[in-house]
Amino acid sequence: MAVSIGKFNVFTFFKLPSAWWCGVRLKYIDNGKAVVAVRHRWFNQNPFKSLFWAVQGMAAEFATGAMVSMQIRESGQNISMLVANNNANFSKKATGKITFTCEDGHLIKDALDKTIATGEGQTFWMRSVGVNEEGTVVSTFNFEWTVRLKP
């Protein structure tokens, strides 16, 4: 199934406006990998003149959630998705363009297949790593996603 990155970014404008106004943009997606970028600007900075941690979190979560959403849509089933838990590590000041990449898309299909087969909710962890323009890791986020069939 062809995926329109533009449609994901329009979705962000209407459904996640704070992420859109902060500059969070999907750059690449397939069933295994998603890339989301955000640029440090005055509007999304913290008092230390770096990218606010919550903006990094929005971009990191979008890199994982876009794949979950896409694969749910491809399944043709009425399935809900929700972040149940998350944690993060910040290893360097985030300035300039930060790119978050998640390569855990392979975990989604198994969870969707199990929830469809059993009717029970499933959980799985996905990691999103943010790097600056020099290729240095600035933050790493882990999200525990839950999926279940809607009644």
Side-chain angles (χ1 to χ4, degrees):
M1 171 182 263
V3 177
S4 168
I5 292 172
K7 284 185 180 181
F8 268 102
N9 289 326
V10 169
F11 169 86
T12 307
F13 177 77
F14 287 105
K15 298 296 184 178
L16 303 168
S18 58
W20 191 86
W21 285 109
C22 285
V24 173
R25 299 293 187 273
L26 182 66
K27 298 297 184 183
Y28 176 85
I29 189 167
D30 64 25
N31 280 337
K33 177 180 175 179
V35 178
V36 173
V38 62
R39 182 172 294 282
H40 166 243
R41 300 185 192 283
W42 171 84
F43 185 77
N44 59 21
Q45 75 179 353
N46 60 30
F48 310 106
K49 297 189 177 9
S50 63
L51 192 62
F52 185 48
W53 72 266
V55 176
Q56 293 181 62
M58 287 189 287
E61 182 186 354
F62 196 50
T64 64
M67 283 189 292
V68 177
S69 177
M70 183 179 75
Q71 289 192 38
I72 287 172
R73 183 177 176 101
E74 288 175 356
S75 79
Q77 299 292 315
N78 195 13
I79 298 173
S80 66
M81 59 186 272
L82 184 67
V83 171
N85 204 344
N86 79 297
N87 61 60
N89 179 58
F90 302 92
S91 51
K92 184 161 177 60
K93 191 173 182 175
T95 57
K97 183 178 180 181
I98 307 300
T99 303
F100 287 89
T101 303
C102 177
E103 298 181 306
D104 291 339
H106 62 281
L107 303 172
I108 303 165
K109 184 171 179 359
D110 185 47
L112 293 178
D113 289 346
K114 285 180 182 173
T115 199
I116 292 166
T118 67
E120 297 176 5
Q122 301 294 314
T123 64
F124 53 98
W125 284 90
M126 297 179 76
R127 174 173 294 209
S128 184
V129 178
V131 299
N132 63 17
E133 292 164 296
E134 290 77 41
T136 303
V137 173
V138 299
S139 59
T140 303
F141 285 78
N142 298 293
F143 296 95
E144 182 185 29
W145 284 96
T146 64
V147 292
R148 70 174 181 86
L149 282 172
K150 290 183 184 177

